Amino acid sequence: MIPLLFGQPSRQLFGLYHTPEKSSDLAVLICPPFGQEAIRTHRFFRVLSDRLARGGAAVLRFDLYGSGDSAGIDLDGDIEGWWRDVCTAHDELRRHTAGRRVVWLGSRMGATLAAIADRSGRCDPDRLVLWDPIFDGARYMESLRLAHVEALERSYFMPDRAWRRRLENEAEAYTDEVLGVAISPELRQQFRSLVPEAIKAPTHRTVMLADPADHTANKWAQSAVANHAPLRVASFRHSLDWTTDPNAENPVVPGEAIQRLLAEINE
């Protein structure tokens, strides 16, 4: 595993390159989720990347600008800059793996960014795997607010009822900082503007892995398929909780998720 810094000097990104351990024509770019979800899944994607490299794939994981070990601070995050980061990371992976097929694996907000980057015309992946993409930004913000309050209640052991009252009565409560990550007013607005109609259908072969109960993601997929997009929808329920602390019933690296993603990536 090789640490990398890449991108423009004014927007340096940090990545980890997993060297393939045997011959293959596959390269995989991991597009990470946002905020606490990225922290929560760090171990998961480390294990997945190791498995892929062992099978011969070259893998690049990276941090979005303003997150992890990339340059910038939380408040620098914005959706346009991030989907451009996906393309920058794609170019970096191409630089290390000329001639290989490049598959993007995006999860949660990373899947949304991958879908936007795919339609940008700025980069050219061979295939996309979108895992639990976010196409309803308003609902996503509400889920983060709720998760934030639940985390407070777990941390303090004696929940303050005022937290729940603020959550119910103040739409902007717990939106400037959620689960330890600051969110700028601009990014909050960008999240809330995410709707299925704003995300164009993919141009490259794509599989979307989503819970059948995620009606928004499935609505987006149905519209894309109706417009003859090269998209396949696959039902996927798993035990990975994107935001909560791990416990005995909430595994960090659920085996069924690893196996399913390996199968979809190596399709």
Side-chain angles (χ1 to χ4, degrees):
M1 191 165 57
I2 303 171
L4 302 171
L5 282 176
F6 56 92
Q8 295 297 317
S10 60
R11 196 178 176 93
Q12 286 275 282
L13 302 177
F14 175 81
L16 289 168
Y17 177 69
H18 295 251
T19 308
E21 297 181 14
K22 62 182 182 181
S23 177
S24 165
D25 69 342
L26 179 64
V28 180
L29 177 66
I30 307 288
C31 305
F34 164 75
Q36 185 60 223
E37 295 182 348
I39 297 169
R40 177 76 172 84
T41 54
H42 182 271
R43 176 69 180 168
F44 178 89
F45 287 115
R46 163 67 193 269
V47 171
L48 179 67
S49 299
D50 284 345
R51 299 277 182 88
L52 286 165
R54 206 171 300 152
V59 184
L60 178 61
R61 296 184 286 140
F62 75 102
D63 295 329
L64 298 166
Y65 186 70
S67 73
D69 291 309
S70 288
I73 61 174
D74 291 357
L75 294 174
D76 293 330
D78 76 288
I79 286 180
E80 179 170 352
W82 283 343
W83 72 250
R84 291 180 182 277
D85 290 345
V86 172
C87 290
T88 301
H90 172 86
D91 292 343
E92 181 68 12
L93 181 58
R94 281 273 193 221
R95 195 171 70 81
H96 288 269
T97 62
R100 286 180 177 243
R101 296 179 294 118
V102 177
V103 175
W104 291 357
L105 168 62
S107 57
R108 304 290 286 156
M109 188 55 69
T112 310
L113 298 171
I116 297 172
D118 171 59
R119 287 299 304 256
S120 71
R122 185 175 176 276
C123 39
D124 189 30
D126 292 275
R127 198 159 62 85
L128 285 76
V129 178
L130 307 180
W131 182 20
D132 284 352
I134 294 165
F135 293 140
D136 184 343
R139 189 175 65 178
Y140 176 61
M141 277 300 304
E142 287 305 301
S143 71
L144 291 178
R145 294 174 68 222
L146 176 59
H148 183 83
V149 171
E150 290 175 343
L152 287 174
E153 292 172 342
R154 283 194 303 274
S155 298
Y156 285 88
F157 298 103
M158 294 181 63
D160 185 335
R161 292 179 181 175
W163 298 335
R164 288 278 173 171
R165 284 198 296 271
R166 284 198 69 203
L167 182 67
E168 294 173 4
N169 300 324
E170 299 177 32
E172 293 301 315
Y174 312 114
T175 60
D176 57 347
E177 186 263 325
V178 290
L179 300 169
V181 178
I183 301 180
S184 69
E186 293 77 15
L187 184 58
R188 284 201 297 275
Q189 184 56 44
Q190 290 172 356
F191 280 162
R192 286 171 169 157
S193 299
L194 281 176
V195 293
E197 295 76 14
I199 313 296
K200 295 179 180 178
T203 56
H204 296 89
R205 198 157 61 93
T206 299
V207 58
M208 185 185 80
L209 303 172
D211 192 308
D214 187 342
H215 300 300
T216 306
N218 284 291
K219 175 185 174 184
W220 174 81
Q222 289 169 5
S223 175
V225 170
N227 286 293
H228 309 291
L231 173 69
R232 174 170 62 87
V233 181
S235 172
F236 186 28
R237 284 182 167 143
H238 53 83
S239 57
L240 180 65
D241 191 311
W242 293 104
T243 54
T244 66
D245 296 330
N247 58 49
E249 298 180 351
N250 183 16
V252 175
V253 187
E256 84 278 6
I258 291 286
Q259 294 303 322
R260 181 64 183 275
L261 291 173
L262 287 172
E264 294 290 353
I265 291 169
N266 286 299
E267 179 194 36

